[in-house]
Amino acid sequence: MPQRRSSTGPSPVASPSPARLSPDRPPPARLVVQVRPGRPTEGLIRLGALAVPCRLGRTGITRFKREGDGATPVAAMRVLAVLYRADRIARPATRLPVSALRRDDGWCDAPGDGRYNRPVRLPFAPSHEALWRDDSVYDVVVVLDWNVTRRSQMRGSAIFFHLTRPDPAPTAGCVAVTLPAMRRLLARLRPGAVLAVRG
């Protein structure tokens, strides 16, 4: 069921809380992304014994992420929330926070704006990305904690874990997998999970 959200955008990404561990509870899952040798825009995501191919940024990966550089940041990023198109697919099975996208959902990518790298409600005058798309790339979009909870201008925005294009082409800096792979991964995740891109 979609969660109630404020006028500034999807609320599940606003105030993530660290996962609490108990003695009888396993540690949160860690998805590890490794670049394929000689193929800087292709990678492999491993989660335990599960391994699935993925697409990375059009310029490969970087330790020095900047807005608009087309690169996927080398970092360990917490998985904050899952957004999906309820008009197209069934709700993903996962223990992560899940919310249905709305037609007016967007994400600000305008450096200098107070809502930089934050969800916004459309119409929105500054530069932004619409999350409700004609293609299927954002039928499932997982918000990652890159420059979200501790934000710096120009360090990159809208770094998501989402679905591949039919081509499948590189991303603009995100990590992307097919829908079947996404479902398999999400089913194994709970709050506190991390996606780690290794350089």
Side-chain angles (χ1 to χ4, degrees), residues 24-50:
D24 58 347
R25 188 176 187 184
R30 187 177 184 89
L31 299 92
V32 178
V33 180
Q34 293 182 304
V35 180
R36 289 188 167 177
R39 300 181 181 181
T41 65
E42 298 179 23
L44 197 66
I45 298 180
R46 296 186 184 278
L47 178 59
L50 177 63

Side-chain angles (χ1 to χ4, degrees), residues 18-134:
R20 290 187 174 88
L21 297 179
S22 62
D24 58 347
R25 188 176 187 184
R30 187 177 184 89
L31 299 92
V32 178
V33 180
Q34 293 182 304
V35 180
R36 289 188 167 177
R39 300 181 181 181
T41 65
E42 298 179 23
L44 197 66
I45 298 180
R46 296 186 184 278
L47 178 59
L50 177 63
V52 298
C54 66
R55 292 288 171 164
L56 304 171
R58 63 178 182 273
T59 60
I61 62 175
T62 182
R63 295 181 181 276
F64 306 99
K65 177 67 183 171
R66 300 295 290 172
E67 182 68 41
D69 63 6
T72 300
V74 174
M77 299 169 278
R78 278 191 302 148
V79 177
L80 301 182
V82 180
L83 307 175
Y84 78 106
R85 285 286 296 269
D87 61 314
R88 289 180 174 173
I89 67 170
R91 185 186 190 277
T94 183
R95 286 176 285 180
L96 294 167
V98 179
S99 185
L101 281 166
R102 294 173 27 157
R103 290 181 180 274
D104 57 354
D105 281 333
W107 199 275
C108 177
D109 58 11
D113 188 89
R115 289 153 292 186
Y116 176 62
N117 203 25
R118 291 287 186 272
V120 295
R121 191 73 69 218
L122 306 183
F124 182 71
S127 180
H128 65 274
E129 184 173 358
L131 300 185
W132 188 278
R133 297 171 55 128
D134 292 333

